[in-house]
Amino acid sequence: MTPNQQAFLDQYLAQFSEAERNDIPQFLAEYFCADEYNANECARLIGLGIKTASCSLKAGYDIDDEPLPVVGRLTVVLDWNATPICIVKLTSVEICPFNQVTEAFAQSEGEGDGTYAWWRKAHIDFFNQYAQEIGVSFTEESELVLERFEKVYPV
């Protein structure tokens, strides 16, 4: 986390006691998506409270031997230039095959035209490309990590 990102997080954390801060399981600063346009758009949608969920291919965690996200984690949401936009708190994490993602979850991602059809096509395209990059295949049964979050700062 850069000093600017840490200062942004510290502004939010200042309202909590040391014990409350110690109960937060993880801190992270990141942008969503893998390109400038979508990273900036996701940051904007999260900042507006429209985007309240995200998903990723579980195989990426497995290959990198990275632990799954933990409920309660705070994420400083960044734009493509690494500028803090807001902070979200992770409220749920679940593993779900791609072909069982609900329309309600897809809509909570808040992207595109808001339809399940748009979400499905965009994610098939993205996950096919990402799977190739990490050396796995993507299928309808591939497991996703579904994350729901709420914007907590600024409110």
Side-chain angles (χ1 to χ4, degrees):
M1 204 174 296
T2 68
N4 184 39
Q5 295 162 4
Q6 186 64 54
F8 189 80
L9 177 62
D10 290 344
Q11 288 173 359
Y12 172 68
L13 294 176
Q15 67 184 307
F16 299 105
S17 70
E18 183 176 346
E20 290 170 321
R21 289 191 301 269
N22 289 337
D23 283 342
I24 300 169
Q26 294 174 327
F27 300 94
L28 183 66
E30 68 177 358
Y31 57 82
F32 289 60
C33 292
D35 63 81
E36 183 174 2
Y37 172 80
N38 286 302
N40 290 339
E41 179 64 2
C42 285
R44 184 184 75 79
L45 293 170
I46 294 167
L48 292 172
I50 295 168
K51 180 174 178 62
T52 59
S54 187
C55 64
S56 51
L57 193 60
K58 185 176 178 294
Y61 288 93
D62 297 340
I63 287 171
D64 292 341
D65 198 27
E66 183 180 334
L68 293 177
V70 177
V71 170
R73 177 187 73 194
L74 294 180
T75 301
V76 177
V77 177
L78 307 174
D79 67 12
W80 187 253
N81 295 318
T83 303
I85 302 301
C86 62
I87 297 173
V88 296
K89 181 178 181 180
L90 194 57
T91 58
S92 75
V93 177
E94 66 179 285
I95 306 300
C96 178
F98 178 83
N99 62 5
Q100 292 180 29
V101 172
T102 65
E103 184 171 352
F105 182 86
Q107 289 175 342
S108 68
E109 286 211 40
E111 299 171 47
D113 66 9
T115 65
Y116 182 75
W118 184 95
W119 179 92
R120 182 177 164 74
K121 180 183 180 333
H123 284 75
I124 286 173
D125 293 347
F126 177 80
F127 288 136
N128 273 320
Q129 180 180 343
Y130 177 64
Q132 286 179 344
E133 290 172 12
I134 63 172
V136 300
S137 57
F138 173 73
T139 70
E140 293 272 326
E141 292 78 33
S142 293
E143 290 185 323
L144 303 184
V145 179
L146 307 183
E147 302 176 47
R148 290 187 182 272
F149 48 81
E150 63 183 356
K151 185 176 102 169
V152 294
Y153 183 79
V155 288

